[in-house]
Amino acid sequence: MKQYHLQHADGASSIFEVEVPLPEPGAGEVRLRMEASSLNYRDLLILDAASKGGLNGRIPLSDGAGIVEAIGDGVQNFQVGDHVAASFFRDWLDGPFRPGYMPSAHGGAETNGMLAEYVVLPATALVRAPSHLSSVEVACLPCAAVTAWHGLVVRAGLRAGDTLLIQGTGGVGLFGLQFAQAIGARVILLSSSDEKLARARELGAKVGINYRTTPEWDAAVLAATDGEGASHILELGGPDTYERSIRSVAAGGHIVQVGVLTGFGSTPDLMRLQWQNADIHGVTVGSVAHFRAMNRFIGDHQIRPVIDRIFAASDINDALAHLRSGRHFGKIVVRL
Ligand SMILES: NC(=O)c1ccc[n+]([C@@H]2O[C@H](COP(=O)([O-])OP(=O)(O)OC[C@H]3O[C@@H](n4cnc5c(N)ncnc54)[C@H](OP(=O)(O)O)[C@@H]3O)[C@@H](O)[C@H]2O)c1
């Protein structure tokens, strides 16, 4: 079988195909025949970390979907032929996050990811795919969709009539838009591109603001909300966006802290949050239980992920370059 490994050479990292023996599932484990993987901004961070040395031989990509092909002893809840996805964290099954779950993030520094023809995983880390979706679509869900769901719906309680500000038209942003649309919340969306804003309006965004041509977008958000601000903000930018997000939040509002698109280590002035009685929710993707609940919602509302482009697995380095270019709208998928 083919696997794909991070390899560091001459100051840069890329991903190489290798041949390895087919893995056998042990007790409590399942072997999946993988059909698709999807890319996340995090995969660029992992690739860049690998370029500084280390991570050689790590299988990348947190997200994957496939079909159960073999079952180890004691597995009760899955059968050969089931369509499933792996949860982002192998070990975060339910309940609140614990720091001990962090190393179990698939495709990270300490746990292999999904870019392989076959993957063996504990059955507890799997969720059944929504029945209306293909494996290519299911592969878009584990990181971006679960993050948007957990942050906006579980933690920040997004409801009909709320106003959600979203930064950008990448994976997390567009799942946030689709969930808000299904819930009945009003979306204000930021993008660097008028063409992407037009596409986001077709998906239900009510207000589009180009953050390149309107760098003071917080003023535009206040203008679009009669001076009140957005009740919910999906904060994806980081240091370059945080101050404006805080200036955009409504009284009693919620900032869902997710992204690092402009770097790490935001140091915003938090006083306005105090005056506005607003909350920040820090989010790291979500649990298996969040993924299951989200899939029920996705099934009930027949939501389909927005897919920008599908690459062959052998073109994984081109797929990552496309993600880095920022030209995409929604998810980039690799077919296995
Ligand atoms: N905490 C967590 O658990 C978690 C989970 C998933 C993702 N994340 C983070 O969330 C962020 C988004 O991830 P993703 O995978 O959805 O990324 P992505 O698909 O690569 O989307 C990136 C998009 O964000 C927009 N963007 C970039 N800079 C921006 C800025 N300064 N202001 C507003 N929008 C900007 C751009 O959209 P336009 O082209 O429309 O301008 C860009 O295409 C990343 O920082 C990622 O690390 C965190």
Side-chain angles (χ1 to χ4, degrees):
M1 61 165 270
K2 291 189 182 95
Q3 259 180 7
Y4 296 82
H5 288 184
L6 282 167
Q7 287 294 342
H8 172 74
D10 302 326
S13 270
S14 49
I15 295 170
F16 291 89
E17 188 180 297
V18 293
E19 288 283 337
V20 298
L22 194 64
E24 292 301 328
E29 291 182 332
V30 160
R31 182 171 69 220
L32 305 183
R33 179 163 53 76
M34 302 305 288
E35 296 201 310
S37 262
S38 84
L39 272 52
N40 294 284
Y41 185 80
R42 167 184 182 262
D43 300 313
L44 299 177
L45 300 175
I46 302 278
L47 194 66
D48 292 345
S51 295
K52 298 188 181 99
L55 298 182
N56 271 351
R58 171 73 63 238
I59 303 172
L61 306 193
S62 57
D63 289 13
I67 296 173
V68 174
E69 203 219 38
I71 286 179
D73 287 345
V75 174
Q76 307 274 338
N77 45 347
F78 290 102
Q79 294 181 339
V80 170
D82 284 348
H83 287 247
V84 298
S87 191
F88 181 89
F89 290 108
R90 182 196 57 216
D91 296 346
W92 187 8
L93 306 185
D94 203 349
F97 181 77
R98 302 275 174 236
Y101 301 147
M102 197 55 102
S104 76
H106 290 119
E110 293 172 67
T111 301
N112 275 328
M114 299 296 143
L115 196 58
E117 287 182 327
Y118 296 88
V119 169
V120 167
L121 291 165
T124 48
L126 301 179
V127 300
R128 253 171 243 292
S131 58
H132 68 294
L133 297 184
S134 68
S135 286
V136 161
E137 292 169 317
V138 176
C140 297
L141 303 177
C143 180
V146 174
T147 300
W149 171 264
H150 170 210
L152 293 172
V153 181
V154 180
R155 298 283 295 287
L158 186 72
R159 288 188 299 191
D162 287 337
T163 301
L164 169 64
L165 172 66
I166 295 174
Q167 297 170 349
T169 57
V172 180
L174 289 192
F175 278 118
L177 170 57
Q178 290 181 296
F179 294 151
Q181 180 72 359
I183 285 168
R186 175 176 180 248
V187 169
I188 302 174
L189 190 128
L190 306 180
S191 175
S192 57
S193 148
D194 289 342
E195 190 241 320
K196 289 182 180 183
L197 286 172
R199 292 176 70 185
R201 281 198 192 88
E202 283 167 20
L203 292 172
K206 290 289 180 281
V207 179
I209 303 169
N210 186 320
Y211 62 85
R212 290 262 160 78
T213 55
T214 309
E216 294 177 351
W217 47 260
D218 47 322
V221 173
L222 291 177
T225 53
D226 297 328
E228 287 196 4
S231 64
H232 290 70
I233 298 180
L234 191 52
E235 177 34 65
L236 300 177
D240 290 358
T241 55
Y242 227 110
E243 293 286 357
R244 293 189 193 283
S245 287
I246 288 175
R247 280 183 236 145
S248 304
V249 73
H254 303 263
I255 296 179
V256 176
Q257 163 52 34
V258 164
V260 292
L261 288 165
T262 67
F264 291 81
S266 300
T267 52
D269 177 357
L270 297 178
M271 286 315 294
R272 187 167 184 277
L273 286 184
Q274 180 179 325
W275 309 137
Q276 288 288 72
N277 290 266
D279 296 324
I280 299 178
H281 306 268
V283 170
T284 51
V285 194
S287 65
V288 173
H290 293 141
F291 199 165
R292 290 213 177 99
M294 179 193 77
N295 280 352
R296 285 194 289 278
F297 182 88
I298 284 177
D300 288 349
H301 293 272
Q302 296 288 293
I303 291 171
R304 308 198 89 101
V306 178
I307 295 177
D308 175 81
R309 214 168 134 183
I310 303 171
F311 288 78
S314 53
D315 294 331
I316 176 63
N317 292 302
D318 294 339
L320 285 160
H322 182 57
L323 179 67
R324 204 184 285 279
S325 78
R327 287 198 305 271
H328 59 292
F329 182 87
K331 294 291 294 178
I332 299 167
V333 180
V334 168
R335 203 192 287 278
L336 284 150

